[in-house]
């Protein structure tokens, strides 16, 4: 059934019902079909959006830019450090100024409270392009990618390996609970999602006939898993000083051949990216020099394997972000 999300913000998946998420996924599929068949879809011609980034990005920024242009909109990008926000102008004032000029605002940065405050004052839809706590646009791309692979979502077994309490781990727990996917966070106790969020998700999961499990045992957690997902061990905004502790804590939770072989037949590997799976990055080289690790959260073998769906996932960022903008601005 068509949903009316016009004028809504997109700040976290907790704000959306299962049916609304389903609607956004179906809309994404239709917009992907239009893009892949070169069918024009400039449905938001004449509108303008602004992308406010306080942290760096490749996928999210490019997805908003390309999706915005495909929909016929003008796009302004403000890079980390080039707006007045926070330094000379409050979040509230920034929101009120941008809301007078633009039809929609994307924000990537630090506390979730910042994007919530922008949304409270902007008067136009605000979209969360990643905060310390949540990464909701990533979730739609991940759900779409899973559904493209298996044909359905409900009843699948999903395992997040490693730093399960980060923005991506938190958001995946919510996404799975909303869509009836059994979610397991597999990692050390110290890196688990916030206890309050776990309780909220357990309630949502119960309503949707699925489970939330926390496990420190890789063999047990990954057995019968359909999706194995991981993310980097130190997220943007965290200090470099935490690398050593994270490497010690999270190395046992690396996604490698043994993990994938222990999972269900036909299991897929997913990662939001960017990923440290080789020595072709400056941080990767630096970690190798300091700690002797050639690959971190995932081995290069798994990353490059047929089970790896990471580039489909990256492409789907664009189609799903387009759906969010179209649904909220039309
Ligand atoms: N996955 C993701 O959000 O990537 P970027 O940091 O490149 O935007
Ligand atoms: N957890 C990562 C996700 C990057 C897309 C970070 O916040 O850096």
């Amino acid at each position: 059934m068509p949903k009316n999300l016009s004028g809504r913000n997109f700040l976290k998946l907790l704000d959306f019902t299962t049916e609304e998420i389903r609607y956004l996924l179906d809309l994404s599929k239709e917009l992907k079909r239009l893009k892949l068949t070169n069918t024009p879809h400039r449905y938001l011609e004449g509108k303008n959006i602004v992308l406010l980034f306080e942290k760096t990005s490749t996928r999210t920024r490019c997805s908003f830019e390309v999706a915005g242009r495909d929909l016929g909109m003008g796009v302004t990008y403000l890079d980390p450090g080039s707006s007045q926000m926070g330094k000379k102008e409050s979040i509230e004032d920034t929101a009120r100024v941008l809301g007078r000029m633009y039809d929609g605002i994307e924000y990537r940065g630090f506390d979730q409270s910042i994007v919530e405050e922008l949304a409270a004052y902007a008067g136009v839809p605000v979209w969360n392009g990643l905060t310390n706590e949540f990464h909701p646009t990533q979730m739609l791309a991940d759900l779409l990618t899973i559904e493209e692979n298996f044909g359905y979502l409900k009843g699948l077994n999903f395992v997040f390996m490693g730093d399960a309490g980060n923005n991506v781990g938190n958001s995946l727990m919510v996404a799975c609970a909303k869509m009836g996917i059994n979610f397991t966070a597999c990692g050390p106790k110290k890196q688990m999602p916030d206890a309050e969020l776990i309780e909220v998700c357990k309630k949502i999961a119960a309503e949707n006939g699925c489970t939330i499990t926390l496990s420190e045992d890789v063999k047990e957690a990954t057995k019968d898993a359909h999706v194995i997902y991981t993310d980097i061990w130190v997220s943007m905004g965290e200090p470099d000083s935490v690398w050593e502790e994270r490497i010690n804590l999270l190395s046992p939770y690396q996604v490698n051949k043994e993990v994938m072989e222990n999972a269900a037949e036909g299991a897929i590997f997913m990662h939001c990216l960017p990923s440290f799976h080789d020595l072709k990055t400056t941080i990767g080289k630096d970690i190798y020099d300091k700690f002797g690790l050639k690959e971190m959260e995932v081995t290069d073998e798994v990353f490059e394997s047929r089970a790896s769906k990471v580039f489909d996932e990256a492409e789907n960022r664009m189609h799903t972000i387009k759906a969010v903008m179209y649904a909220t601005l039309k």
Side-chain angles (χ1 to χ4, degrees):
M1 223 211 319
K3 293 273 161 207
N4 185 3
L5 300 182
S6 180
R8 291 271 296 275
N9 300 305
F10 192 75
L11 307 179
K12 55 187 184 302
L13 278 198
L14 285 171
D15 301 337
F16 289 81
T17 64
T18 300
E19 293 69 33
E20 287 168 342
I21 297 168
R22 165 51 48 207
Y23 166 70
L24 287 170
L25 291 175
D26 290 345
L27 182 59
S28 304
K29 285 182 198 167
E30 174 58 10
L31 291 167
K32 182 169 181 175
R33 189 188 67 77
L34 295 177
K35 176 77 174 179
L36 299 185
T37 54
N38 283 321
T39 312
H41 43 284
R42 298 174 66 84
Y43 302 144
L44 299 176
E45 188 95 56
K47 292 194 187 280
N48 290 287
I49 58 168
V50 61
L51 314 180
L52 192 50
F53 278 77
E54 294 198 303
K55 287 176 179 170
T56 51
S57 168
T58 298
R59 277 147 292 272
T60 309
R61 174 193 175 174
C62 297
S63 294
F64 272 99
E65 290 219 15
V66 172
R69 291 205 190 95
D70 282 354
L71 288 168
M73 296 193 286
V75 182
T76 303
Y77 171 69
L78 292 175
D79 67 23
S82 79
S83 82
Q84 311 282 24
M85 191 171 96
K87 297 170 290 285
K88 286 168 70 180
E89 194 158 34
S90 67
I91 295 157
E92 180 182 330
D93 290 356
T94 306
R96 289 186 290 182
V97 170
L98 295 178
R100 295 287 181 109
M101 299 179 191
Y102 292 95
D103 300 286
I105 301 170
E106 183 273 358
Y107 171 80
R108 164 172 287 200
F110 297 92
D111 292 347
Q112 180 72 17
S113 61
I114 299 175
V115 79
E116 303 271 353
E117 192 175 346
L118 277 172
Y121 291 100
V124 297
V126 172
W127 311 297
N128 178 358
L130 179 147
T131 58
N132 292 343
E133 291 89 345
F134 292 113
H135 195 6
T137 60
Q138 179 72 50
M139 296 308 107
L140 294 178
D142 294 346
L143 291 169
L144 180 60
T145 308
I146 296 169
E147 193 160 84
E148 285 174 344
N149 274 276
F150 294 98
Y152 62 96
L153 296 176
K154 209 170 166 62
L156 289 172
N157 299 326
F158 183 106
V159 181
F160 184 94
M161 302 281 292
D163 189 19
N166 75 14
N167 42 18
V168 174
N170 284 341
S171 307
L172 284 166
M173 182 167 68
V174 178
C176 287
K178 290 270 182 187
M179 303 315 286
I181 301 171
N182 299 309
F183 176 86
T184 300
C186 181
K189 281 204 176 79
K190 196 165 178 218
Q191 302 304 128
M192 285 293 168
D194 176 66
E196 209 175 304
L197 184 63
I198 292 171
E199 285 317 304
V200 170
C201 287
K202 279 188 174 170
K203 284 201 187 91
I204 300 170
E207 284 162 19
N208 293 313
C210 62
T211 55
I212 304 289
T213 307
L214 310 181
S215 174
E216 290 184 281
D217 185 328
V218 175
K219 263 235 130 88
E220 197 180 285
T222 56
K223 193 175 171 307
D224 300 328
H226 300 101
V227 182
I228 303 282
Y229 197 117
T230 193
D231 186 13
I232 50 171
W233 290 342
V234 176
S235 286
M236 289 183 280
E238 294 194 293
D240 285 347
S241 58
V242 301
W243 268 112
E244 187 167 2
E245 188 199 24
R246 291 290 166 80
I247 287 170
N248 292 330
L249 277 170
L250 299 175
S251 289
Y253 300 95
Q254 181 191 62
V255 179
N256 51 36
K257 193 164 161 255
E258 290 70 48
V259 168
M260 293 307 294
E261 280 174 358
N262 189 49
E265 180 82 31
I268 61 170
F269 169 72
M270 296 179 70
H271 191 311
C272 56
L273 306 182
S275 162
F276 295 119
H277 60 96
D278 57 24
L279 295 180
K280 296 176 188 162
T281 63
T282 50
I283 293 179
K285 277 198 204 97
D286 192 43
I287 295 294
Y288 177 67
D289 291 342
K290 286 193 185 122
F291 305 103
L293 284 186
K294 284 197 174 132
E295 41 201 12
M296 288 192 255
E297 73 278 2
V298 56
T299 60
D300 198 48
E301 186 179 21
V302 169
F303 187 92
E304 298 294 353
S305 70
R306 283 187 60 194
S308 175
K309 303 299 169 193
V310 298
F311 297 108
D312 294 338
E313 220 181 323
E315 179 194 326
N316 282 338
R317 296 296 311 282
M318 200 282 287
H319 305 300
T320 47
I321 279 172
K322 191 182 286 176
V324 170
M325 291 199 288
Y326 177 53
T328 56
L329 293 184
K330 73 178 175 174

